[in-house]
Amino acid sequence: MKLKNVKALGIGGVLILLIAVTVSWLPGDQQELPAMTVYKSQWCGCCTQWVEHMRESGFQVEVKEANDLSLIKARYAVTSELSSCHTAVVDGYVVEGHVPADLVKRMLRERPDVVGIAVPGMPIGSPGMEGGIKEAYDVLTFDSAGSSSVYARR
């Protein structure tokens, strides 16, 4: 771009141009994230807080309330050992329970050959379960055969 064209843009135009260029160079986890669908009970407050955590982290979340989540969990290969209070689906992966957003983003970036990731139960201190003394917990990957392994420790 010639100098005279930059002057014609003015300061506001140059700022918009710089912002556009900067955004195009952001790492993958800061660019637009895929939409997520969360299945939860209408009465679950910690699920609502986890949804808010995901939205604050850049995910667009659609919430579908269900009275019987066992049918959803069975459809997505979530065993009772992996189970928590809500199940989410994002870009072909399942996210079970109170998984931190940064680990969902990591999974989407790395694209492991798994069905999804899970935080079994409802550990205190996990996203949506804040307050009190924080418990250590594992985030697990799982496959359709029911095998799981540790993906991260928190």
Side-chain angles (χ1 to χ4, degrees), residues 9-69:
L9 285 174
I11 292 175
V14 171
L15 288 175
I16 290 171
L17 181 63
L18 287 173
I19 291 168
V21 169
T22 302
V23 169
S24 69
W25 288 340
L26 288 175
D29 67 338
Q30 293 183 22
Q31 290 182 353
E32 187 172 325
L33 296 167
M36 173 183 288
T37 302
V38 177
Y39 300 91
K40 67 176 222 49
S41 162
Q42 67 180 4
W43 299 283
C44 188
C46 67
C47 295
T48 301
Q49 290 177 324
W50 183 81
V51 166
E52 191 56 36
H53 165 73
M54 298 309 287
R55 286 180 174 148
E56 288 172 358
S57 298
F59 287 93
Q60 293 202 19
V61 182
E62 176 186 8
V63 174
K64 293 189 176 183
E65 294 177 348
N67 291 327
D68 187 359
L69 291 173

Side-chain angles (χ1 to χ4, degrees), residues 60-140:
Q60 293 202 19
V61 182
E62 176 186 8
V63 174
K64 293 189 176 183
E65 294 177 348
N67 291 327
D68 187 359
L69 291 173
S70 64
L71 299 173
I72 304 294
K73 293 178 189 310
R75 180 186 325 156
Y76 292 112
V78 176
T79 64
S80 60
E81 293 81 21
L82 297 170
S83 187
S84 184
C85 52
H86 58 268
T87 302
V89 180
V90 59
D91 203 22
Y93 286 101
V94 177
V95 179
E96 177 68 14
H98 294 270
V99 178
D102 67 310
L103 294 177
V104 175
K105 290 176 183 180
R106 177 181 152 198
M107 176 188 65
L108 293 172
R109 213 175 29 253
E110 294 175 350
R111 310 289 308 167
D113 187 19
V114 297
V115 170
I117 55 179
V119 171
M122 298 165 64
I124 302 297
S126 61
M129 292 293 297
E130 292 86 357
I133 298 172
K134 184 177 179 182
E135 298 176 300
Y137 62 94
D138 291 334
V139 178
L140 307 174

